[in-house]
Amino acid sequence: MDAIILQILNGLDKGSAYALIALGLTLIFGTLGVVNFAHGALFMIGAFCAVTVQRLLNLSFQTVDETQKDFLGNPLKVDTPYVEAWFGPEIGAAIIDWSVPLALVFAIPIMLAVGYAMERGLIKHFYKRPHADQILVTFGLAIVLQEIIKYFFGANPIQTPEPSALKGSLDIGLMLGFDPNAIIYPIWRLVYFTFSVVIIGGVFAFLQFTTFGMVVRAGMADRETVGLLGINIDKRFTIMFGIAAGVAGLAGVMYGPLNPPNYHMGMDFLVLSFVVVVVGGMGSLPGAVAAGFLLGVLESFASTTWATTTIPGINQIIIYLVAIIILLTRPRGLMGRKGVMED
Amino acid sequence: MLGLDKKDTSLLIIVAILTLLAPFILNPFPAGSAMAQFNAGYPDLMQRFVIFGIFAIGFNILFGLTGYLSFGHAAFLGVGSYSAVWMFKLLSYNVIPAIALSVVVAALFALLIGYVSLRRSGIYFSILTLAFAQMSFALAYSVLSNPKFNLTNGETGLQVYADDPQIFHRDSLPDMPHLFGLSMRSTYKLDIGAWSFDFNVGYYLCAVIMMVMFYLAIRIFRSPFGMMLRAVKSNQQRMNYTGLNPRPYTLAAFVISGMYAGLAGGLMAAMDPLAGAERMQWTASGEVVLMTILGGAGTLIGPVLGAGFIKYFENIFSKINDTILHQWFSFLPDGIEDFMVFIVHPFIGKGWHLTLGILFMLVVIFLPGGLVEGGQRLGNWLRNRGKRSGEAKTKHEPAE
């Protein structure tokens, strides 16, 4: 029992990332009808927002400290980050420590702007072109974004540690009444899961309970009629693209501590997220989220020693296998709607 | 000639001449001169040109004719390579059985994957093929290389070891891939003045195979079967209404293009008897898509051009470094020279992929027909200009 709970928990953090990316992909697909191969790159840009914030906060100046000597007897040069000088050493150190959560604030406007620019500058011209062209141009864009990041940040993964208060793990088993040390779970993964639930809930609430969201849903159902009612649906869809980019970006920011960001992390997640979208059902938001968590947990179960000794390497292929089986038995995916992408 | 009309015959002859004379054409600069680094006429690169040419021709039969965008074609390439190396391990270094097996195995693989993937179309098809290719990659990389059952040798890559059976191997035969004793690596060097040209057996084997494959592709394009595939692309629904089932045609196209990919993989292994899983990764599939689109999908010569273009510039761009740039811009004043080098720097050397990505985006946005369409537009423009200057200059032509 505790082993099962542990595997479910283990799957949740990856599942959260899948769900968030797939949610954004589905938002874009449902509103604009565009297949966005650059969505993984947006996730990656989000992660590098955190890297940038961390670097900015660590900008420092050097002073010579006469009281301390190094081993040669020369006065020691001390690096003081500007934030520590401005806000005092304690608050400054705390700010640096919390750079990843702080990056969220920084990432939201950037990701919205990137999404907006992408839609207005490029995707807009591809609505009337075939899906293959959309795939190709966003694939090209993904390569370009990836290479730009590689140019500025290098090819190696960059550590973005979580705040020290959230380091370490929690003995969840103890809280649930199992033996101690049965279920040990890192705190940051729990944070990531909670965060993704909040974001997903936020997006759904936004679509469900605001007038803007209502119009967007109406536009997803019948774009033409909404346009005929005198509503500028294109503008709203552009904003939705920005929001989808934002969701992917925030997912990336928070993912940094789990897996140090590198320039091709987006591509790695993208392929799986597409599979997630297809399994969930093209154009279905709840389907994307459910499939994301489901596949994450499945992957985690397939990585147990028992599974890998029975069928070696099952953890590597389980998601693809499931996707193939689902597409063949339920071609619309788990919660796909009729009439979406059925050419 | 050979059942082709005049235009296609001349196209085939041009391609034949270009491939056969490639060692001359690709080596325009004297060896040892400053420009010699832009020579592409060395065996390794020339082999890659034609092998990727075959790969792209095959991909184009599927994508160019039926419009089905497969993102998993590298899987067939990888499978072809693995089967070829297995032939080397079990029988001998002769390339004929290796290439034959790689084509057969790739065909079986394509039949299986195609049968499943072609149940869906559009974006679903792309994602399904992508999923299959990634699965094959994972299988080759880790699953099928456990000690109990080592089919792919995992990360190291499959290669021939001294204790492999090689039952038909004789001491008189070379210890590397050969065609009945003629080693693939043997190269005849021809020196004319300052120039030096390499004539490599492996290259010519690949070149001959590519010409045969190119000929087959022309025949497919011009056949009733090719018409059916075009019908699938233009309007599948109408095809259904006329009582035709598109599935067998698309499946046949998928298998044929998979066989082309397998052949390319087999040749790759024949040139260098090593097969690694990274050949199957989806970036490799993306590369052949790039080649085909860049050259011009749906045209005969486009994919070959695209393959040559990408492989050539990959090779050249990655060689250029800042020193060379400084030489190029040395005619400018110092400040501007540094600035130009600074501007160009991200696009060269390791930044080649950035250039490729931008180029690819530009082609998809402005020239969906690729280089071939670009050439045609340029030709039309020149012709019209010539005509217009000959006629009265006052005549207004409607835009587009």
Side-chain angles (χ1 to χ4, degrees):
Chain A
M1 185 63 204
D2 49 350
I4 293 174
I5 293 179
L6 182 67
Q7 289 314 320
I8 291 177
L9 285 174
N10 273 337
L12 283 183
D13 61 318
K14 244 190 175 167
S16 313
Y18 294 154
L20 285 173
I21 301 176
L23 178 70
L25 274 175
T26 311
L27 270 181
I28 292 174
F29 187 78
T31 51
L32 301 166
V34 170
V35 183
N36 184 15
F37 257 60
H39 211 68
L42 293 172
F43 177 74
M44 182 260 311
I45 290 180
F48 276 91
C49 279
V51 174
T52 317
V53 168
Q54 184 187 301
R55 295 215 168 151
L56 285 177
L57 291 177
N58 277 315
L59 279 183
S60 45
F61 59 91
Q62 269 192 344
T63 43
V64 179
D65 189 351
E66 295 289 350
T67 56
Q68 293 178 21
K69 303 274 188 217
D70 64 5
F71 65 97
L72 288 174
N74 299 322
L76 196 67
K77 282 180 187 148
V78 184
D79 285 327
T80 323
Y82 284 105
V83 277
E84 287 190 14
W86 294 336
F87 300 108
E90 270 152 44
I91 301 178
I95 289 178
I96 292 175
D97 192 29
W98 284 78
S99 66
V100 171
L102 277 177
L104 286 178
V105 186
F106 176 75
I108 290 172
I110 288 194
M111 293 315 297
L112 289 179
V114 167
Y116 189 83
M118 221 170 114
E119 203 275 338
R120 286 289 92 182
L122 182 70
I123 313 271
K124 190 179 79 175
H125 309 286
F126 277 79
Y127 295 148
K128 298 237 160 63
R129 306 261 293 256
H131 280 298
D133 278 8
Q134 298 170 353
I135 295 178
L136 293 171
V137 80
T138 45
F139 177 60
L141 182 67
I143 298 177
V144 171
L145 290 175
Q146 196 172 302
E147 292 298 316
I148 291 175
I149 291 290
K150 183 175 153 197
Y151 177 70
F152 284 108
F153 292 93
N156 295 326
I158 299 166
Q159 299 284 343
T160 47
E162 62 269 51
S164 46
L166 300 176
K167 275 198 179 113
S169 354
L170 222 57
D171 198 339
I172 295 183
L174 213 56
M175 297 177 202
L176 296 174
F178 294 107
D179 301 329
N181 292 331
I183 307 173
I184 301 269
Y185 198 62
I187 300 175
W188 187 258
R189 292 186 171 203
L190 216 56
V191 171
Y192 193 79
F193 173 63
T194 324
F195 169 79
S196 69
V197 169
V198 168
I199 293 274
I200 291 167
V203 170
F204 275 94
F206 178 71
L207 284 176
Q208 209 64 39
F209 301 123
T210 61
T211 322
F212 186 95
M214 190 186 71
V215 174
V216 168
R217 277 188 296 133
M220 281 165 89
D222 190 340
R223 181 179 189 151
E224 210 168 331
T225 311
V226 175
L228 287 175
L229 291 172
I231 295 168
N232 187 351
I233 191 70
D234 288 357
K235 199 173 158 195
R236 283 156 212 260
F237 279 180
T238 309
I239 295 173
M240 284 318 288
F241 194 101
I243 292 177
V247 170
L250 295 186
V253 171
M254 297 291 275
Y255 203 72
L258 295 178
N259 205 353
N262 57 10
Y263 73 100
H264 56 73
M265 70 189 291
M267 287 290 190
D268 303 342
F269 268 94
L270 180 78
V271 180
L272 288 169
S273 301
F274 262 115
V275 174
V276 167
V277 171
V278 170
V279 169
M282 213 82 188
S284 155
L285 295 173
V289 173
F293 284 116
L294 194 71
L295 290 185
V297 171
L298 257 181
E299 196 183 10
S300 135
F301 271 103
S303 325
T304 50
T305 358
W306 174 79
T308 43
T309 41
T310 324
I311 311 168
I314 182 75
N315 56 330
Q316 305 272 339
I317 56 171
I318 180 86
I319 287 190
Y320 303 112
L321 269 182
V322 169
I324 288 161
I325 293 168
I326 286 199
L327 271 185
L328 292 179
T329 50
R330 276 186 71 90
R332 272 182 213 127
L334 292 176
M335 300 185 190
R337 283 177 294 147
K338 200 175 177 205
V340 179
M341 273 303 299
E342 305 217 323
D343 51 312
Chain B
M1 192 181 80
L2 297 168
L4 301 177
D5 65 13
K6 219 172 144 194
K7 213 173 142 198
D8 292 335
T9 314
S10 45
L11 184 66
L12 184 66
I13 291 174
I14 291 173
V15 170
I17 292 173
L18 285 180
T19 41
L20 291 179
L21 296 182
F24 290 110
I25 299 166
L26 293 173
N27 258 1
F29 307 111
S33 71
M35 298 298 277
Q37 57 191 326
F38 298 112
N39 281 340
Y42 53 93
D44 188 40
L45 187 60
M46 289 196 298
Q47 288 164 4
R48 253 181 289 157
F49 283 157
V50 280
I51 291 174
F52 278 95
I54 295 173
F55 191 17
I57 294 173
F59 182 76
N60 190 38
I61 290 177
L62 180 69
F63 177 60
L65 287 181
T66 68
Y68 276 80
L69 175 59
S70 158
F71 249 88
H73 248 56
F76 308 127
L77 186 92
V79 167
S81 285
Y82 278 122
S83 15
V85 176
W86 267 110
M87 273 291 146
F88 293 148
K89 281 165 91 78
L90 296 177
L91 298 181
S92 79
Y93 265 127
N94 196 331
V95 293
I96 299 288
I99 291 172
L101 186 78
S102 63
V103 174
V104 171
V105 173
L108 291 175
F109 231 72
L111 191 66
L112 185 77
I113 294 183
Y115 181 76
V116 177
S117 311
L118 284 166
R119 286 160 164 251
R120 314 288 297 149
S121 60
I123 170 76
Y124 282 106
F125 174 78
S126 301
I127 294 174
L128 264 177
T129 45
L130 182 58
F132 269 115
Q134 281 298 92
M135 202 166 96
S136 322
F137 168 71
L139 283 172
Y141 194 75
S142 56
V143 181
L144 295 179
S145 71
N146 48 336
K148 271 178 277 178
F149 182 67
N150 194 350
L151 195 63
T152 59
N153 211 12
E155 211 172 332
T156 328
L158 193 66
Q159 45 190 305
V160 184
Y161 294 110
D163 57 347
D164 284 327
Q166 294 202 301
I167 43 178
F168 292 119
H169 193 65
R170 300 285 166 272
D171 286 338
S172 56
L173 294 170
D175 243 350
M176 57 185 69
H178 62 82
L179 182 69
F180 302 112
L182 196 59
S183 166
M184 286 294 128
R185 298 229 178 113
S186 61
T187 302
Y188 172 69
K189 251 190 183 347
L190 176 70
D191 290 311
I192 303 176
W195 283 267
S196 108
F197 305 103
D198 293 340
F199 298 91
N200 174 265
V201 175
Y203 169 71
Y204 276 100
L205 177 75
C206 295
V208 168
I209 292 179
M210 191 193 82
M211 279 183 300
V212 174
M213 288 300 128
F214 189 67
Y215 170 73
L216 283 179
I218 299 181
R219 290 302 295 261
I220 291 174
F221 266 64
R222 303 289 180 240
S223 65
F225 172 69
M227 286 300 276
M228 283 299 177
L229 296 182
R230 285 204 184 86
V232 171
K233 184 180 188 176
S234 57
N235 198 332
Q236 224 180 96
Q237 216 154 23
R238 195 174 287 171
M239 201 174 159
N240 277 327
Y241 289 160
T242 44
L244 288 161
N245 183 7
R247 188 84 72 71
Y249 293 102
T250 42
L251 184 60
F254 192 85
V255 172
I256 291 172
S257 83
M259 284 163 84
Y260 269 75
L263 174 68
L267 283 175
M268 235 181 231
M271 297 305 120
D272 182 15
L274 182 78
E278 72 287 341
R279 250 173 228 179
M280 307 171 99
Q281 219 171 0
W282 77 287
T283 42
S285 306
E287 199 180 13
V288 71
V289 179
L290 293 184
M291 287 170 181
T292 311
I293 305 286
L294 200 67
T299 60
L300 280 168
I301 191 73
V304 187
L305 280 182
F309 185 88
I310 287 188
K311 283 291 152 194
Y312 180 73
F313 282 97
E314 179 181 31
N315 191 54
I316 299 302
F317 263 77
S318 7
K319 268 191 206 160
I320 303 174
N321 54 29
D322 280 1
T323 339
I324 298 176
L325 280 185
H326 276 290
Q327 277 172 17
W328 284 0
F329 293 116
S330 57
F331 64 92
L332 293 166
D334 265 358
I336 301 179
E337 180 190 325
D338 288 344
F339 180 70
M340 288 303 288
V341 173
F342 175 74
I343 294 284
V344 182
H345 174 80
F347 298 99
I348 52 153
K350 282 180 187 153
W352 148 247
H353 279 108
L354 180 60
T355 322
L356 181 63
I358 291 173
L359 195 70
F360 179 65
M361 275 176 72
L362 291 178
V363 166
V364 177
I365 296 170
F366 297 110
L367 265 184
L371 293 176
V372 169
E373 192 192 317
Q376 279 167 353
R377 278 200 203 174
L378 197 70
N380 282 343
W381 182 71
L382 288 175
R383 219 171 300 143
N384 284 341
R385 217 175 58 141
K387 229 186 268 168
R388 245 193 306 179
S389 60
E391 291 169 10
K393 280 181 182 169
T394 48
K395 201 173 146 194
H396 288 284
E397 291 205 1
E400 286 294 308

